[in-house]
Each structure stands twice: as C-alpha cells, then as structure tokens.
Amino acid sequence: MKTYRIGQIVPSSNTTMETEIPAMLNARQGDFPQEGFTFHAARMRMMHVTPDELKAMDSQSDRCAQELSDARCDVLAYACLVAIMCQGPGYHRQSEARLGKATEENKAPTPIISSAGALCDSIKIMGFDKVAILTPYTKPLTQQVAAYIESEAIRVTDSVSLEVSDNLAVGRIAPMSLLEHVKRLDTSEADAVVLSACVQMPSLAAIQRVEDMLGKPVLSAAGATTYQILKTLGLAARVPNAGYLLSGRF
C-alpha cells in the first residue's frame, strides 16, 4: 500500500473540510485498496466570514504552508474558497504560487491547490460554462463569489445566500436541509449546480440526492478540492456517491 499525506490550510473555525475530504478519500478503499491517506491541517485564525477577517486570515497562509511542508505532505490544499475569491479576480493563482514558494524556501517543494481554483477548474473540466450556486454567505459576499467565478468565464445563472456569517454556525448547517434550500435556485439555464460554494457548509451527504432530484450534475467546493487532490497525485478521480465530477468520467 502507498500512503499519501494530504495537507490542508484551513480557517481555525473550519470543521467540515477535515471531515468531508477524509470521508471522500477513504470511501475509495473498496475500489483502490492499494491506496492509503493520512490527513494533516494547519490553521489560520478566523471566526466570522467578513471581508476584514478573511483578509487578515489569508495573511497567515504562508506560515501554514511552511508548517505543513515540515511534514512532507504530498499535496497542500488551501481550503477556504471565499478568502481567495474576495481578494479579486484570479487571486487563486497568485496565492498558489506564493504558497508554493513558501514550501520551496522550506526545502520541501509541495504541489499547491486551492478550493477556489479547484471549483472553477473542475467546472471547466466537465465542459460546463453556466452554474447556479448555493452559499451560506451574506448576499454581498455571494455576489463577490459569483463575480470571481464569472471572471473565470463561467456564468452564474442564479444564486441563493443563506446569510450565515458565523463560521461555526455554517459548519452546523444540516446537509440534508440543502435539499429544500436548492429548490429556491433557478436551475433552468445552468449546466450544473454548486450545492455548496463554501468549504465549511456540509453537503457531501446530500450531493447525490440533489443530483438525482434535479437531473443535473451537482458538485461542491469540497468535492472539487478532492477531485484536484486526486488528479495532482495521479490517482483516479472516482469517489462513490459524490456526484458527477467524482463519478470517474473525468
């Protein structure tokens, strides 16, 4: 068995990515018994999802990348979507390059991905250019997320904001409640639905259910991050019951 070390840079109040990413990767065990994973995280202080806190949090990401590179992880994921997207168009590329340099300076060069980049790239990999999104954010932050996605040549056809700014409360949103919230989305023009455009809002348990209900591809920021982790490691991007992106087609 080959064991891969998965590093995540997460907000200090985030609880979901350290739950959903291990769940998805470990769910592959039956199909890929030769693979094993260990999970490691470094934290950036943040309690409330506001522009000021997000910007202050992002400044801590270099330290986190260096700390995780001490453990010689095989890949590092910057696991906060909105912290990147509120910094302006294309910032995920700047962030990934800077964090990669931080690991190189620590003499442990490590591939870097970001949830923000992973979401946009994964939509394109599926061949789509129109999505409807569900977020836990306030409407102004949702508008920034939509603008960022659109700056990557992907049209956001509709959005629903749950208006939750306390990051701990976001992590306590019941995944199955998304089956009702998503009914408020106009998905008629969308190629796919982003059920959670936020790495802290749990959605894994609902993705396949919503996909079956809507008859359209459904993905999440966490699922897109998992997809990019697998591709970066050169592994098959297949996870059972995790939606179209992780069906093995890509």
Side-chain angles (χ1 to χ4, degrees):
M1 175 184 286
K2 179 172 176 54
T3 299
Y4 300 90
R5 294 176 183 170
I6 311 301
Q8 292 191 65
I9 300 171
V10 296
S12 57
S13 51
N14 190 296
T15 53
T16 300
M17 287 295 266
E18 292 155 298
T19 304
E20 290 196 344
I21 285 186
M24 283 184 268
L25 294 179
N26 288 330
R28 298 160 44 79
Q29 190 68 36
D31 293 330
F32 304 98
Q34 73 279 13
E35 298 172 7
F37 301 93
T38 63
F39 303 96
H40 314 276
R43 314 187 89 73
M44 309 171 286
R45 291 296 308 279
M46 190 272 281
M47 291 299 292
H48 296 93
V49 190
T50 64
D52 287 345
E53 282 206 36
L54 290 168
K55 187 172 182 179
M57 183 194 76
D58 181 62
S59 67
Q60 303 169 51
S61 59
D62 291 55
R63 167 185 57 78
C64 292
Q66 289 195 321
E67 290 174 356
L68 287 168
S69 67
D70 284 345
R72 300 304 190 261
C73 293
D74 294 293
V75 60
L76 298 185
Y78 187 119
C80 185
L81 180 134
V82 70
I84 294 288
M85 290 191 172
C86 75
Q87 306 292 330
Y91 183 71
H92 70 274
R93 297 180 184 87
Q94 180 182 336
S95 173
E96 289 167 12
R98 192 184 72 244
L99 297 179
K101 185 177 179 182
T103 67
E104 291 170 6
E105 290 173 349
N106 198 34
K107 297 182 173 56
T110 310
I112 307 289
I113 66 173
S114 66
S115 294
L119 180 62
C120 296
D121 290 346
S122 296
I123 292 166
K124 293 177 184 177
I125 284 165
M126 292 189 290
F128 300 146
D129 59 11
K130 298 186 294 295
V131 295
I133 66 173
L134 181 66
T135 87
Y137 311 129
T138 60
K139 287 181 181 178
L141 275 178
T142 296
Q143 289 167 358
Q144 286 186 282
V145 168
Y148 193 100
I149 293 170
E150 293 198 322
S151 76
E152 294 290 318
I154 301 163
R155 185 159 71 90
V156 176
T157 61
D158 193 29
S159 65
V160 167
S161 306
L162 302 188
E163 302 271 8
V164 182
S165 61
D166 183 316
N167 203 41
L168 283 173
V170 171
R172 296 188 184 110
I173 293 171
M176 293 318 226
S177 72
L178 304 186
L179 274 74
E180 291 302 315
H181 291 306
V182 78
K183 292 177 182 178
R184 294 191 279 136
L185 265 181
D186 179 355
T187 63
S188 59
E189 295 183 44
D191 299 321
V193 171
V194 181
L195 188 62
S196 178
C198 170
V199 298
Q200 173 70 335
M201 185 165 73
S203 64
L204 178 58
I207 284 177
Q208 196 64 54
R209 289 275 301 274
V210 173
E211 189 166 280
D212 294 343
M213 180 178 76
L214 295 179
K216 288 192 173 188
V218 174
L219 72 158
S220 69
T225 304
T226 301
Y227 173 88
Q228 296 295 347
I229 285 172
L230 289 167
K231 298 301 284 186
T232 298
L233 295 174
L235 304 176
R238 188 164 87 239
V239 176
N241 298 312
Y244 187 68
L245 174 64
L246 289 162
S247 63
R249 292 176 175 87
F250 307 102

